[in-house]
Amino acid sequence: MTTSDDAATTPPRKQPQEPPREPREDVGPSPAGPPHVAPYHHPAAGWGAAKSVTRFLAREGAYLDGPRAVMRMNHENGGFDCPGCAWPDDTKGLHLDICENGIKHVTWEMTRKRVGREFFAAHSVTELSGWSDFALEDQGRLTEPMVYDPDTDHYVPIGWKDAFALVGRTLRGLDDPNRAAFYTSGRLGNEATFLYQLLARELGTNNLPDCSNMCHEASGRALQASLGTGKGTVDLKDWEVTDALFILGVNAASNAPRMLTSLAEAYKRGAQVVHINPLVEAAATRTIIPHDFTDMALNRATRTSTLNLQPRIGGDMALLRGMAKAILEQSAADDRALDRLFIDRHTTGFEAYRDICLATPWEEIERQSGLERADILGAARVYREADRSIFSWCLGVTQHEHGVDTVREIVNLLLLRGNLGREGAGPSPVRGHSNVQGNRTCGIDHRPAAGFLDRLAEVCGIEPPREHGLDTVGTIEAMRRGDVTVFVGMGGNFALAAPDTPYTRQALESCELTVQVSTKLNRSHLVHGRAALILPCLGRTEKDHQRAGVQSTSVEDSMSMVHLSVGMKRPASPHLLSEPAIVAGMARAALPDSATPWEWYIEDYDRIRDTMARVLDGFEDFNRRVRLPLGFRIKQPARELVFDTPSGRAEFSAAPLPDVVPGAGTLALGTMRSHDQWNTTIYSDDDRYRGVKNLRTLVFMNRDDMRERGLAEFDRVDVTSTARDGSTRSVHGYLAVPYDIPRGCAAGYMPELNVLCAIGDYSTQSDQPIMKHLKVTIEKS
Ligand SMILES: Nc1nc2c(c(=O)[nH]1)N[C@H]1C(S)=C(S)[C@@H](COP(=O)(O)OP(=O)(O)OC[C@H]3O[C@@H](n4cnc5c(=O)[nH]c(N)nc54)[C@H](O)[C@@H]3O)O[C@H]1N2
Ligand SMILES: Nc1nc2c(c(=O)[nH]1)N[C@H]1C(S)=C(S)[C@@H](COP(=O)(O)OP(=O)(O)OC[C@H]3O[C@@H](n4cnc5c(=O)[nH]c(N)nc54)[C@H](O)[C@@H]3O)O[C@H]1N2
Ligand SMILES: [Mo]
């Protein structure tokens, strides 16, 4: 690990002379010492978080800037939106609601390190391909547009005008607009998002893959089918008054740390907090809220859980069905177990659902969930006794073959007791990237609704294509076949985030042109097409000057609140453009005859918002409402019990229970994030709350599964996945770590383990890669 400020003197680790252009297996920084694993006994957040932040600020040379910036983050009036997760801002808008990972995320963007033209002159792409991902990002912020020069194998500077001309020329040269794909990582603000989808659709394609295809696609599809909306229906006020919270498949202390506040407050108020996760994560124990200065000073922790259940990986649906079965069985003698009035008035499909629940034997529910009947009945009791319940979930539920069925089962359970359309009750998915939900709202959808396209056509005067486009997996396969030849990445790190790393690499390398709009150097710049551009953009913390003055952009959080974000820092380089300006530049070059006033939009983002207000549902009077303190909430028909479903009612589903029990000798492996990482950005090799130090190439295993394989702690193992098509993929020399995880289950870190996710192993329900449910064997190396 380096503590140096100066990019040029940062020694990258291991620089092979003639490295193959293989992605590195070591993604993180050089471990600071030998691997070490011991249980973490401290509460989540609190002083452990404070210490970690201090070390991080020192490394980035941002002692002053970091804290100063954080003071301007997530304010009810002004300030920028935290570029970290999508958890909503505190409804009271009064105290500073910040978290360790938010601070790291902001500081990461504000680093003083720079990667300029001298850097690219000094290092060829082949050489950089041998660097670890940590070393790449650690070079700092990109400063000017660069183009790949195949003669020298170096990136060389290019002016913005020429860069746009290259994009425009290539897009205009395509015989079919569907040969281009436009990827979005969920950081992109709403205004840039709207222009980006307009560019794609005016060009003539719905090829709009996004990170959501790997994330909450299953939630969107399930909620749409059940409730006629792609989003959750609750907000933070509901969290503040609910009687019972059920938290499934989220590592909140690391990935949505501000949820800890809500959990602790719920506990203090006497609400039940049930965690459903194969691992007992830190958020399921206790916490010290960093902004609660008294608790910090007294080192006083609050519990964040009243019940923890550890189902097997993929066992959630069986558990939920068991809870429903218990409620239904009880309803024979207890006429308040079900909300019959609600069911009759607002739902359809109840009888079929009741029949399938009652017909599913308890033995099957126990086997598939990996839990004992008594535990399931315990959870059902909590649910029965609560007047108002909220179910919240993240990737542990969605990244499975049957993710859609499982989310629908959550809704089924909510409907049974009328937990919808009233205060303190309803579904509450936890989104990932800070604006991933806004991206969908503003048109990033490869399967757009006809009504949206009609309005886009009418307001923007374009002829949008009607056939569905490609999602993330579809795009990778199409690039690999040679059907898609231009890839544009609006943020993100596609080469590393996507499944089947070598396959995705070949797909990107088959392209005629790859364009990456980024803030920092990453793997996706080194895995490129025949022509390649790096277009550096402003970060969310930075001032965006346009003709009409300093501009702001809007974002939508996990709970449908839309608010403005205004950067306040001087840009990392004078040569950066804003994301809206980059989209407009590409659009003008690709569509020279376009009637869309691209340049005029960029002069003043209010103009983009005025157009959005006419196209998007719920954005009426956008410019005024977005400037209200805390912004505004997009209206949510399902919350008002208005269901845009074929029946006009909330629809129960009655899917059969999937078989998730691993076959003899195999384990179900879930890939997940460590505490000290942001998707493909690795801050350190530690995973504090799981007690891991200096180690990322590990696999967490149940002790009995280890014993059965003759494995001791830190034994080196080979992990081999078997895809549906029978093909196998392996990683070698990973360290086995005994962990409190159900038998038959294993876990390890993304993105290292993405090599094990076969490209064809995506859910038939959501097309989402099955990143939480790889079928693996583990053997001593
Ligand atoms: N600091 C930080 N914050 C982030 C991110 C980050 O990388 N770093 N990423 C952001 C993004 S894009 C997203 S989508 C979210 C991701 O947030 P999470 O969903 O928390 O992400 P993962 O680390 O993949 O963790 C998944 C959790 O699911 C559990 N799990 C695995 N399999 C199962 C299962 O079958 N059933 C159940 N019930 N649980 C299971 C794991 O034990 C783990 O606790 O976080 C966002 N916030
Ligand atoms: N095996 C496995 N794979 C997974 C997952 C998993 O759980 N398991 N999770 C999946 C999920 S949920 C997601 S969301 C994806 C994440 O996929 P992505 O969103 O594609 O990846 P990130 O790592 O978040 O992207 C980081 C890069 O974004 C760029 N960036 C940062 N800030 C900005 C900005 O303001 N503007 C622009 N233009 N660029 C910026 C930086 O250059 C940085 O290198 O990964 C998926 N991959
Ligand atoms: Mo995500």
Side-chain angles (χ1 to χ4, degrees), residues 161 164-165 167-169 171-172 195 199 202-203 580-602:
K161 221 171 139 220
F164 291 146
V167 178
R169 209 164 48 239
L171 289 174
R172 286 198 313 275
L195 294 185
L199 156 62
E202 191 169 338
L203 202 66
I582 293 174
V583 176
M586 293 194 291
R588 179 49 78 205
L591 302 159
D593 304 325
S594 167
T596 304
W598 298 102
E599 298 81 2
W600 182 79
Y601 275 145
I602 300 312

Side-chain angles (χ1 to χ4, degrees), residues 460-475:
C460 297
I462 66 164
E463 272 305 323
R466 300 282 164 164
E467 70 280 12
H468 288 176
L470 296 169
D471 66 355
T472 292
V473 170
T475 296

Side-chain angles (χ1 to χ4, degrees), residues 112-128:
R112 295 191 176 166
K113 303 174 192 175
R114 296 288 179 271
V115 42
R117 57 173 70 189
E118 321 70 42
F119 174 87
F120 288 106
H123 307 284
S124 72
V125 170
T126 297
E127 183 207 318
L128 291 173

Side-chain angles (χ1 to χ4, degrees), residues 332-390:
D334 168 5
D335 59 5
R336 295 186 53 213
L338 297 178
D339 187 341
R340 287 300 321 206
L341 199 65
F342 179 90
I343 293 172
D344 292 343
R345 215 178 257 173
H346 299 294
T347 74
T348 172
F350 168 70
E351 284 76 17
Y353 179 62
R354 180 193 58 203
D355 294 349
I356 200 167
C357 288
L358 294 176
T360 313
W362 276 110
E363 300 70 47
E364 185 60 7
I365 288 171
E366 288 186 307
R367 204 170 87 85
Q368 292 298 338
S369 66
L371 294 167
E372 288 181 11
R373 182 171 171 177
D375 292 326
I376 301 172
L377 292 179
R381 198 172 316 117
V382 173
Y383 184 55
R384 162 65 191 87
E385 282 168 12
D387 178 34
R388 301 172 285 190
S389 294
I390 286 175

Side-chain angles (χ1 to χ4, degrees), residues 137 183 185 187 433 493 497 517 522 579 671 673 679-680 754:
E137 284 201 354
Y183 175 70
S185 162
R187 194 83 60 94
H433 271 294
N493 189 356
V517 180
N522 69 34
E579 286 163 322
T671 58
R673 291 143 182 79
N679 294 340
T680 64
N754 290 27

Side-chain angles (χ1 to χ4, degrees), residues 93-111:
L94 292 175
H95 58 236
L96 194 66
D97 201 10
I98 50 163
C99 77
E100 171 191 359
N101 282 331
I103 297 176
K104 285 184 180 167
H105 217 61
V106 168
T107 312
W108 173 92
E109 181 174 299
M110 299 196 332
T111 179

Side-chain angles (χ1 to χ4, degrees), residues 463-500:
E463 272 305 323
R466 300 282 164 164
E467 70 280 12
H468 288 176
L470 296 169
D471 66 355
T472 292
V473 170
T475 296
I476 297 169
E477 289 178 328
M479 289 192 292
R480 178 66 193 268
R481 284 195 307 270
D483 291 343
V484 163
T485 57
V486 177
F487 177 90
V488 181
M490 257 332 242
N493 189 356
F494 194 81
L496 208 56
D500 214 339

Side-chain angles (χ1 to χ4, degrees), residues 83 105 108-109 137 142 183-188 211-212 214-216 395 399 432-433 436 489-499 516-523 525 535 537-540 579 671-673 678-681 749-755 757 768 771-772 774:
H105 217 61
W108 173 92
E109 181 174 299
E137 284 201 354
L142 294 158
Y183 175 70
T184 313
S185 162
R187 194 83 60 94
L188 198 63
C211 67
S212 191
M214 301 183 265
C215 196
H216 269 292
L395 303 183
Q399 292 178 326
H433 271 294
V436 62
M490 257 332 242
N493 189 356
F494 194 81
L496 208 56
Q516 301 289 352
V517 180
S518 315
T519 50
K520 286 198 176 180
L521 184 63
N522 69 34
R523 186 66 49 193
H525 304 132
L535 304 182
C537 64
L538 292 175
R540 202 177 275 175
E579 286 163 322
T671 58
M672 56 189 189
R673 291 143 182 79
W678 222 96
N679 294 340
T680 64
T681 297
Y749 300 128
M750 61 88 69
E752 286 89 338
L753 290 177
N754 290 27
V755 291
C757 311
Q768 246 186 273
M771 292 158 160
K772 290 280 182 285
L774 309 177

